Structures are given as structure tokens and as C-alpha cells.
Amino acid sequence: SAALDALRRKALQPFDDSDPRHLLALETLWHCAFPGGLHPQPFERTSKQWSQLGFQGLDPCTDLRGGGYLALEHLLKFVVGARGEFDPSLPPAIASINCTAMLTRHFGLSPTLVLPFPGGTSTGQAECPTAALHALLEHHHRGTDALQALHAALLSHLMRAWASLAQERPARTMLDFPVALGRTFQQLCAAVARAPPATDWLQSVSQRLELDSGAAAPALLTAHDCCAHPGAVLALLLLLLRAAT
């Protein structure tokens, strides 16, 4: 449909550093993340300071190539809402970009996108039911940014899953992050599958994500599972969320 095609174009739009709108969003992200008090810090396209937000290099555009402009939009809205209050053990950029990737993959907006964590491609639920996709498109047709709303709920769930993992493994490190990602993706698949395709579909999915504690359940991944995916950790930390060719 035309609505699906339009949403796919949005999801697949790459970050373009020659587009003034894209650069303005990046500059806004800088000023929101590093306000500088009474003396705002001048915007720096390349800077070591980007690492404080979770980017892996001096140039954030390198990491955004995987998630595109949509990932930047989602991250910016999260940073604005968080008001600088981040879990220091979980880099916001890594968490947010991965949540964007989960959503675009699950709703078939980036059908060839690789989710490089345990369960990202083997759950049997990689793509959502047709009725759920129609519900998502209907919300966007009515002017509701359903993807943004789901991103906020999904990112909140990921943070709780990460905190829960610390209780299971007191020595938790970023090497355990793929486990939290896998649990969060499984919960997204379950929440979307169980929500009735009614007018309150978006609220139902969001509530199912918000109400879940993020703790491990018998059917969910354990920290040991990431050992079966030796390339997952490196891929995550470098944000290699790229489309298969």
C-alpha cells in the first residue's frame, strides 16, 4: 500500500550529512545532550564528547549509517525527554539505535536488517502479524507517530531488562548487553502479537511493554546464550545494524 511504502521510505532514509535538516537534528542533539549551563558549548560535528552519549567514534554520523535518520529522530526525542538523566552503565545511543532497529525489523520496514543479538533472527517471530502492521499504519494515517511512541516504551523496557540483569549477574558488563536486547525483542514480539487490533492498539502494546518487568522468564534468553553468538557483542558495540546485501 501507499501508506506502507511511505513508512518504509522513512525507515530506510539514510542519514545524509549534506541535508540541512539532518544536520540541524544532529546539532539539536548536541545542544540537548551537552547544554553547557550559562555558556552553551559550540556544536562540534566531530568530537570526543560524542562518546559520552554512547557513540563509538569522533563522528556520530558513522554510527547513524546503520539506523539512518529515523534512528537520529528517536534518539533526539529520547534525550530531550530524559533531560540528561541516563544510566551511566548503558550508553543511550547504543540502546536507542538498537530499539529503532528492532521496530523497523519487526514491522517489516527494513526486512533485510540484521539484528545482531541472540534471538534476533531465530525467534520465529521476526515480523509482526499483518493485523498489527495494519494497526500501525492506521495510527500513522491518523497523524500519530506510533513508531516513536513504541520506541519510547521499548527503550524503557530495555533499560529495565538491563537493570534486572544486574541483579542476576552482579558482575554484569557490556558483554551481557546482547542478552538484554534479546529479551526486549522477544517481549516486543509477544506484546505486538497479543494486542488486539482495535483503536487502542498502540496503548495496548505500550502498556504490555511498560508493565513487564524485563526480568528473565523461563522461555527467555540467559546470559549464557550470548556465548553461542561470538560475533554479536562486537557487532553491537560497533553498531553494525546494517542491511544484508
Side-chain angles (χ1 to χ4, degrees):
S1 68
L4 177 57
D5 289 342
L7 197 55
R8 277 182 174 157
R9 285 194 299 271
K10 178 179 180 180
L12 295 173
Q13 183 180 18
F15 178 83
D16 183 359
D17 57 7
S18 67
D19 188 324
R21 184 169 59 103
H22 292 199
L23 284 180
L24 177 60
L26 188 65
E27 184 173 353
T28 303
L29 176 63
W30 169 277
H31 289 301
C32 290
F34 315 117
L38 296 177
H39 304 284
Q41 300 183 43
F43 170 65
E44 296 183 42
R45 161 65 187 276
T46 59
S47 170
K48 291 182 178 179
Q49 201 158 350
W50 285 112
S51 64
Q52 297 179 21
L53 200 57
F55 289 104
Q56 300 302 299
L58 299 178
D59 187 353
C61 300
T62 302
D63 291 343
L64 289 170
R65 287 173 186 162
Y69 182 59
L70 181 63
L72 175 58
E73 282 190 323
H74 286 172
L75 176 59
L76 174 58
K77 290 178 181 178
F78 165 69
V79 170
V80 170
R83 299 178 181 272
E85 298 180 1
F86 308 128
D87 179 350
S89 70
L90 182 61
I94 290 179
S96 178
I97 292 175
N98 273 282
C99 285
T100 299
M102 290 183 202
L103 289 169
T104 57
R105 178 67 184 89
H106 186 53
F107 286 102
L109 305 178
S110 300
T112 59
L113 186 68
V114 176
L115 297 179
F117 52 77
T121 58
S122 61
T123 61
Q125 299 174 302
E127 293 191 6
C128 70
T130 301
L133 179 59
H134 287 167
L136 177 76
L137 294 175
E138 179 61 26
H139 277 283
H140 277 272
H141 178 70
R142 297 201 302 261
T144 300
D145 192 344
L147 277 179
Q148 171 58 39
L150 291 175
H151 178 272
L154 190 64
L155 185 52
S156 177
H157 183 280
L158 175 57
M159 291 178 173
R160 293 195 304 276
W162 179 244
S164 176
L165 201 58
Q167 298 177 357
E168 298 174 33
R169 296 174 61 86
R172 177 203 63 182
T173 69
M174 284 302 293
L175 295 178
D176 299 307
F177 187 51
V179 176
L181 287 172
R183 292 177 179 177
T184 300
F185 184 61
Q186 287 186 353
Q187 183 61 26
L188 170 66
C189 295
V192 171
R194 294 170 184 166
T199 54
D200 60 348
W201 173 84
L202 178 58
Q203 181 180 6
S204 178
V205 175
S206 298
Q207 287 179 343
R208 289 172 189 273
L209 289 171
E210 293 287 354
L211 293 177
D212 184 83
S213 66
L220 295 180
L221 297 166
T222 66
H224 174 73
D225 291 325
C226 66
C227 297
H229 300 261
V233 174
L234 179 60
L236 284 167
L237 296 183
L238 296 179
L239 297 175
L240 294 180
L241 295 170
R242 61 188 183 277
T245 56

